[in-house]
Short mmCIF file of all heavy atoms in Angstrom, two decimals:
data_model
loop_
_atom_site.label_atom_id
_atom_site.label_comp_id
_atom_site.label_asym_id
_atom_site.label_seq_id
_atom_site.Cartn_x
_atom_site.Cartn_y
_atom_site.Cartn_z
N LEU A 203 0.89 27.52 -17.70
CA LEU A 203 0.41 28.83 -17.27
C LEU A 203 1.48 29.90 -17.43
O LEU A 203 1.20 31.03 -17.83
CB LEU A 203 -0.10 28.78 -15.83
CG LEU A 203 -1.46 28.12 -15.62
CD1 LEU A 203 -1.77 28.01 -14.13
CD2 LEU A 203 -2.53 28.91 -16.33
N SER A 204 2.71 29.55 -17.13
CA SER A 204 3.82 30.50 -17.28
C SER A 204 4.01 30.87 -18.75
O SER A 204 4.19 32.05 -19.09
CB SER A 204 5.11 29.90 -16.73
OG SER A 204 4.99 29.64 -15.36
N VAL A 205 3.98 29.90 -19.63
CA VAL A 205 4.11 30.17 -21.06
C VAL A 205 2.96 31.04 -21.54
O VAL A 205 3.15 31.99 -22.31
CB VAL A 205 4.18 28.84 -21.86
CG1 VAL A 205 4.04 29.08 -23.35
CG2 VAL A 205 5.48 28.12 -21.57
N TYR A 206 1.76 30.77 -21.09
CA TYR A 206 0.59 31.55 -21.47
C TYR A 206 0.72 33.01 -21.01
O TYR A 206 0.45 33.94 -21.78
CB TYR A 206 -0.68 30.92 -20.88
CG TYR A 206 -1.93 31.70 -21.15
CD1 TYR A 206 -2.50 31.72 -22.41
CD2 TYR A 206 -2.54 32.43 -20.14
CE1 TYR A 206 -3.65 32.45 -22.66
CE2 TYR A 206 -3.69 33.16 -20.38
CZ TYR A 206 -4.24 33.15 -21.65
OH TYR A 206 -5.38 33.88 -21.89
N MET A 207 1.18 33.21 -19.79
CA MET A 207 1.33 34.57 -19.27
C MET A 207 2.42 35.33 -20.01
O MET A 207 2.29 36.53 -20.30
CB MET A 207 1.62 34.54 -17.76
CG MET A 207 0.42 34.12 -16.96
SD MET A 207 0.54 34.23 -15.16
CE MET A 207 2.22 34.02 -14.78
N ILE A 208 3.50 34.68 -20.38
CA ILE A 208 4.56 35.33 -21.14
C ILE A 208 4.05 35.70 -22.53
O ILE A 208 4.33 36.79 -23.04
CB ILE A 208 5.81 34.42 -21.21
CG1 ILE A 208 6.47 34.35 -19.83
CG2 ILE A 208 6.80 34.92 -22.26
CD1 ILE A 208 7.57 33.33 -19.73
N THR A 209 3.28 34.84 -23.14
CA THR A 209 2.71 35.14 -24.46
C THR A 209 1.76 36.32 -24.39
O THR A 209 1.82 37.22 -25.24
CB THR A 209 1.96 33.89 -25.00
OG1 THR A 209 2.88 32.80 -25.05
CG2 THR A 209 1.41 34.17 -26.38
N ILE A 210 0.91 36.37 -23.40
CA ILE A 210 -0.01 37.49 -23.22
C ILE A 210 0.76 38.79 -23.03
O ILE A 210 0.43 39.83 -23.61
CB ILE A 210 -0.96 37.24 -22.03
CG1 ILE A 210 -1.92 36.11 -22.34
CG2 ILE A 210 -1.73 38.50 -21.65
CD1 ILE A 210 -2.91 36.44 -23.43
N ARG A 211 1.84 38.76 -22.25
CA ARG A 211 2.65 39.95 -22.02
C ARG A 211 3.27 40.44 -23.31
O ARG A 211 3.29 41.64 -23.60
CB ARG A 211 3.74 39.64 -21.00
CG ARG A 211 4.63 40.82 -20.70
CD ARG A 211 5.81 40.40 -19.82
NE ARG A 211 6.82 41.40 -19.77
CZ ARG A 211 7.78 41.58 -20.69
NH1 ARG A 211 7.82 40.82 -21.74
NH2 ARG A 211 8.68 42.52 -20.55
N ASN A 212 3.80 39.53 -24.12
CA ASN A 212 4.41 39.91 -25.39
C ASN A 212 3.39 40.52 -26.35
O ASN A 212 3.68 41.48 -27.06
CB ASN A 212 5.11 38.72 -26.04
CG ASN A 212 6.37 38.33 -25.30
OD1 ASN A 212 6.93 39.13 -24.56
ND2 ASN A 212 6.81 37.10 -25.50
N VAL A 213 2.20 39.95 -26.39
CA VAL A 213 1.14 40.48 -27.26
C VAL A 213 0.73 41.88 -26.80
O VAL A 213 0.57 42.79 -27.62
CB VAL A 213 -0.07 39.52 -27.29
CG1 VAL A 213 -1.28 40.18 -27.94
CG2 VAL A 213 0.29 38.24 -28.02
N GLN A 214 0.58 42.08 -25.50
CA GLN A 214 0.23 43.41 -24.98
C GLN A 214 1.31 44.42 -25.29
O GLN A 214 1.03 45.55 -25.68
CB GLN A 214 -0.01 43.34 -23.48
CG GLN A 214 -1.31 42.67 -23.10
CD GLN A 214 -1.48 42.58 -21.59
OE1 GLN A 214 -0.52 42.65 -20.84
NE2 GLN A 214 -2.72 42.42 -21.16
N GLN A 215 2.56 44.04 -25.15
CA GLN A 215 3.67 44.95 -25.43
C GLN A 215 3.69 45.31 -26.91
O GLN A 215 3.87 46.47 -27.27
CB GLN A 215 4.98 44.31 -25.00
CG GLN A 215 6.16 45.25 -25.06
CD GLN A 215 7.41 44.59 -24.50
OE1 GLN A 215 7.49 43.38 -24.37
NE2 GLN A 215 8.40 45.40 -24.18
N SER A 216 3.49 44.36 -27.79
CA SER A 216 3.46 44.62 -29.23
C SER A 216 2.29 45.52 -29.59
O SER A 216 2.42 46.42 -30.43
CB SER A 216 3.37 43.31 -30.01
OG SER A 216 4.51 42.53 -29.80
N THR A 217 1.15 45.31 -28.98
CA THR A 217 -0.02 46.13 -29.25
C THR A 217 0.23 47.58 -28.88
O THR A 217 -0.14 48.49 -29.62
CB THR A 217 -1.24 45.58 -28.48
OG1 THR A 217 -1.47 44.23 -28.87
CG2 THR A 217 -2.47 46.39 -28.74
N ILE A 218 0.88 47.80 -27.76
CA ILE A 218 1.19 49.17 -27.34
C ILE A 218 2.15 49.83 -28.32
O ILE A 218 1.97 50.98 -28.72
CB ILE A 218 1.77 49.16 -25.91
CG1 ILE A 218 0.68 48.80 -24.91
CG2 ILE A 218 2.39 50.50 -25.56
CD1 ILE A 218 1.17 48.51 -23.52
N VAL A 219 3.17 49.11 -28.74
CA VAL A 219 4.16 49.66 -29.68
C VAL A 219 3.50 49.98 -31.02
O VAL A 219 3.71 51.05 -31.60
CB VAL A 219 5.34 48.69 -29.86
CG1 VAL A 219 6.23 49.11 -31.02
CG2 VAL A 219 6.15 48.61 -28.58
#
Side-chain angles (χ1 to χ4, degrees):
L203 284 174
S204 298
V205 169
Y206 177 73
M207 289 187 331
I208 290 171
T209 303
I210 291 293
R211 180 187 166 278
N212 289 340
V213 168
Q214 286 178 339
Q215 189 175 17
S216 297
T217 301
I218 290 169
V219 169

